Amino acid sequence: MASTALNPSFSKPSPFPSFNSLKPHCRITLPVLTNYRKPTPHRPPLHITNSLSDPKPKPATAAAATKTATASTTTTTTPETFLSRFTPDEPRKGADILVEALEREGVTNVFAYPGGASMEIHQALTRSSTIRNVLPRHEQGGIFAAEGYARASGLPGVCIATSGPGATNLVSGLADALLDSVPIVAITGQVPRRMIGTDAFQETPIVEVTRSITKHNYLVLDVEDIPRVVREAFFLASSGRPGPVLIDVPKDIQQQLAVPIWNQPIRLSGYVSRLPKPPLENHLEQIVRLISESKKPVLYVGGGCLNSSEELRRFVELTGIPVASTLMGLGAFPSSDELSLQMLGMHGTVYANYAVDKADLLLAFGVRFDDRVTGKIEAFASRAKIVHIDIDAAEIGKNKQPHVSVCADVKDAWKGMNSLLEKEGKLKFDFSDWREELKEQKMKYPLSFKTFGEAIPPQYAIQVLDELTNGSAVISTGVGQHQMWAAQWYKYNGPRQWLTSGGLGAMGFGLPAAIGAAVARPDAIVVDIDGDGSFIMNVQELATIRVENLPIKIMLLNNQHLGMVVQWEDRFYKANRAHTYLGNPSKESEIFPDMLKFAEACDIPAARVTKRGELRKAIKKMLETPGPYLLDVIVPHQEHVLPMIPSGGAFKDVITEGDGRSMY
């Protein structure tokens, strides 16, 4: 996935090659050097050591250590001013060192739930004048909120939990962040070092538990390593393809007194050496040549393009190529633009999937050819030459073999190609016939829904929300039918408006993610479009919303069922209900549970709407009410998310008609 990067520098151009005999196995691997999150005024310079480990004994003094560290670095810069609470030579607890290390990284908000092994960290947080703790009511809520913060802002989200069950409650969030390439720094307390491995109270080997679902993790065994480990964690989380990093800190390390050495070099020379470097001009010229030879090109853009929205828009302006987005890429290119094909894939628009199926050139940028996009992989873009640009070399050729591949940051690649296109004024692309063909498909197969009396179509509820917010709200969702309808019917016109659990598909994500978004972007309208099944999984976070007085609007599409599973039951299991009804079987005519009472318990205004004619007024009241608000929108459970390409199917298998009122 792409991230913010340095301006590209190009080597000398070479002549255009011919692509008439291009085969799908010639790979161009171009790395890109990525500049992680921009430094804040408090951030110290980044020093990178030349070795992975330092076999020399530690210097006896802080001054000697600083001298040694500086001597072994590849870069040195003038330290930026940071005003510490402590004098330079004053010993302080490891927990205070940890908190100050976070401050030096520019952290202003954390999502932390205390426990026995993390109490020292929380005590240190109370001594910080710059870091605010937003107290979740469950550790999973905390890490999902940290994800919402990161997704909405582009900055690393920070969450803290205690050992044992506190740490294991972070697991779903770590897996979610890894799959969706979200920068997270998760800090856990651990039992004292002498008790590790003894099955002590609330001990779990969280480093081992999370090894395969984090980008990297640490068990801190020396208090003097804290400054370096924290700096490395933020660098790793934000550089290259972003992801989660876990730091496990034993309680005795938190309590130990030490004088921190802030200028320690980071020991990531192997990682840094593997970071991609700027793309070469001749390789970008090859891609431009492919575009000039094509008749039906399509851009297939994903989450890796969120940091390069401006470059993408300029590229489309210069070429006139239509854009299809993945679920994760929504907002990178404006959904309301005439060249937008909206979302492709299992529940993508017919015209987006048609475009990919008929394309002769597929420009796959910042994507990973996920199964929910491709369906039957052999049939996906089977007529097209494929160009794949991604910052992660492991994704290139993993699922679909490209004809040309570039391991690079798409931001740099687009800057380079835009520069070439602007210089080559004589290059004129005419894809008007292709655009007209796609326009006909849009007219023939628009997104649509049916109405049944005064029942509220869930798609209509999202359409009205889009109209009343002018497509400018930050939207979070849970997982299920409501998630797909929110992807289809809300028009995302900018990046980081759309927060959803894509790869993992974690129910319960929407409400806490909205908390993180509201903290990161306090001036934005934040709406959690949720389903009753997902909402109830982290309903306790209503308490956090109330206490923090976050102006989060919750639009609950309540159908009393696990809607997406019900849809599959309808289509593939003869509508046999296998534990997908979430109401009370003995009182099917009543709404159960009563979501309004959850809101009342947390002193949050709430209302229920059951009739289509009353919906617009109800949504308008929700948006105009100061502070948080819950609107319980009762919708029929028979609705299906359409279009739908069945799992493992191809474009020819697309379903565009029907719902749970019919038998299959």
Side-chain angles (χ1 to χ4, degrees), residues 269-282:
S269 58
Y271 172 79
V272 171
S273 69
R274 293 192 298 273
L275 284 174
K277 295 179 176 59
L280 301 176
E281 186 171 357
N282 62 322

Side-chain angles (χ1 to χ4, degrees), residues 514-532:
I515 292 174
V519 171
R521 297 170 63 175
D523 297 329
I525 300 170
V526 179
V527 183
D528 171 30
I529 300 175
D530 227 327
D532 49 314

